[in-house]
């Protein structure tokens, strides 16, 4: 008779807790156009990041994909600085950042606007100098947009080899700059039965990539063979089939179509 509580969701299975996991990025992002601070303007990171998971048993041998239950495998994505030292998931919304501007007047101080303080000082030109300082608190918002968690899928690569993959086709970044992506793997079937907690079993960073402003963006890259291969297997990856020359300074820019 079992006197202990039943582990929820099958946690702490001995056969799973001894496994070792290795996460590899097999398709790194190269560039993106910043999507700004609107909610509808989404510009996906290109090409979409793809990760592959390798599982080793207690003996160090790779476990075949067909013998694994991948239903509790997931990977979470975070945005970091290009050297991986600082998190970049949150950014201040520019419309809420306090700003200061000066207005020179010849007589009296301009009346303060709502929600601001007007501070007077003497101008060297003989008039008054009015400084308007906003009192609004800056509002933090997400810098990395899209689906930040991906479930494991079993797919075949272009060489017809089956593997465990995590695909992130819906990631966008609001602000321009140089970044890297950090991915963390969790096996939800391994953890503390009573607290329902688990830990990071593997993590990996992508190579650095650049997020451009609309004017500087050089265009989307040509779809990779890996993206095309996964799209044929039902993964919703934007595939560019037709190409046209957008600007003299750009490379060929593909039309996007989801298959």
């Amino acid at each position: 008779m079992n006197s202990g509580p039943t582990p929820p969701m099958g946690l702490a299975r001995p056969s799973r807790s001894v496994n070792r996991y290795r996460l590899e990025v097999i398709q790194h992002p190269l560039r993106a156009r910043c999507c700004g601070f609107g909610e509808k303007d989404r510009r996906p990171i290109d090409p979409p990041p793809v990760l592959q998971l390798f599982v080793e048993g207690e003996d160090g041998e790779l476990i075949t994909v067909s013998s694994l239950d991948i239903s509790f495998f997931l990977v979470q994505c975070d945005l970091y600085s290009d050297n991986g030292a600082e998190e970049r998931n949150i950014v201040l919304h520019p419309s809420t950042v306090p700003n200061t501007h000066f207005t020179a007047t010849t007589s009296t101080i301009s009346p303060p606007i709502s929600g601001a303080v007007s501070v007077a000082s003497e101008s060297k030109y003989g008039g008054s100098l009015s400084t308007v300082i906003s009192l609004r608190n800056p509002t933090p918002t997400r810098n990395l947009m899209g689906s930040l968690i991906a479930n494991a899928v079993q797919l075949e690569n272009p060489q017809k080899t089956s593997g465990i993959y995590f695909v992130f086709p819906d990631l966008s970044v609001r602000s321009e700059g140089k970044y890297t992506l950090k991915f963390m793997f969790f096996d939800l079937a391994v953890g503390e039965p009573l607290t329902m907690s688990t830990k990071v079993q593997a993590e990996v960073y992508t190579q650095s990539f650049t997020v451009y402003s609309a004017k500087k963006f050089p265009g989307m890259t040509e779809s990779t063979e890996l993206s095309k291969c996964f799209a044929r297997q039902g993964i919703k990856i934007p595939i560019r089939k037709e190409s046209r020359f957008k600007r003299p300074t750009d490379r060929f820019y593909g039309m996007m179509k989801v298959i």
Side-chain angles (χ1 to χ4, degrees):
M1 180 176 179
N2 185 9
S3 59
T6 301
M9 292 171 36
L11 295 180
R13 299 176 188 174
S15 59
R16 297 277 281 261
S17 60
V18 297
N19 292 341
R20 289 179 291 181
Y21 303 94
R22 187 174 81 253
L23 194 62
E24 293 185 6
V25 181
I26 60 172
Q27 181 160 283
H28 290 267
L30 297 175
R31 65 179 68 152
R33 173 180 165 181
C34 62
C35 63
F37 291 84
E39 295 302 324
K40 295 183 179 180
D41 185 18
R42 301 292 293 276
R43 306 286 176 169
I45 293 173
D46 178 56
V50 178
L51 298 94
Q52 184 172 5
L53 181 71
F54 300 91
V55 185
E56 297 178 356
E58 192 174 9
D59 57 0
E61 295 293 324
L62 285 177
I63 299 176
T64 58
V65 177
S66 58
S67 61
L68 286 168
D69 177 12
I70 65 173
S71 56
F72 292 109
F73 289 177
L74 63 84
V75 166
Q76 176 181 321
C77 177
D78 285 323
L79 187 68
Y80 274 73
S81 56
D82 61 338
N83 60 2
E86 298 178 356
E87 188 177 312
R88 292 287 188 266
N89 284 323
I90 302 298
V91 66
L92 295 180
H93 200 294
S95 66
T96 65
V97 175
N99 59 81
T100 303
H101 66 274
F102 300 94
T103 304
T105 64
T106 57
S107 57
T108 59
I109 303 171
S110 301
I113 61 175
S114 177
V117 170
S118 181
V119 181
S121 61
E122 289 297 323
S123 168
K124 66 179 180 179
Y125 300 106
S128 297
L129 195 63
S130 176
T131 305
V132 180
I133 306 175
S134 172
L135 295 182
R136 292 178 298 179
N137 291 325
T139 302
T141 187
R142 289 172 55 186
N143 196 20
L144 182 62
M145 303 291 292
S147 302
L148 309 185
I149 294 177
N151 296 105
V153 287
Q154 182 176 336
L155 300 167
E156 286 188 351
N157 62 17
Q159 291 73 42
K160 304 297 183 181
T161 302
S162 183
I164 304 171
Y165 297 95
F166 302 87
V167 186
F168 289 83
D170 180 35
L171 294 177
S172 303
V173 181
R174 289 190 188 274
S175 57
E176 57 184 306
K178 288 186 175 293
Y179 301 96
T180 186
L181 294 172
K182 178 182 179 181
F183 294 98
M184 295 171 289
F185 168 74
F186 300 89
D187 180 1
L188 299 183
V190 178
E192 295 294 331
L194 298 180
T195 62
M196 299 283 289
S197 63
T198 186
K199 63 180 181 179
V200 177
Q201 273 84 33
E203 61 182 42
V204 67
Y205 289 85
T206 66
Q207 298 172 0
S208 64
F209 63 97
T210 303
V211 178
Y212 296 89
S213 65
K215 291 183 178 180
K216 296 180 181 179
F217 183 56
M220 305 289 281
T221 63
E222 181 181 354
S223 295
T224 65
E225 289 303 317
L226 184 65
S227 293
K228 295 176 183 178
C229 177
F230 286 174
R232 289 192 293 268
Q233 297 176 68
I235 302 300
K236 293 183 179 180
I237 297 179
I239 299 298
R240 289 162 294 283
K241 285 190 170 183
E242 302 174 8
S243 58
R244 61 183 177 88
F245 202 63
K246 189 180 179 186
R247 293 189 300 245
T249 56
D250 291 348
R251 297 181 180 180
F252 284 99
Y253 187 87
M255 301 295 290
M256 296 175 63
K257 181 180 178 182
V258 178
I259 62 174

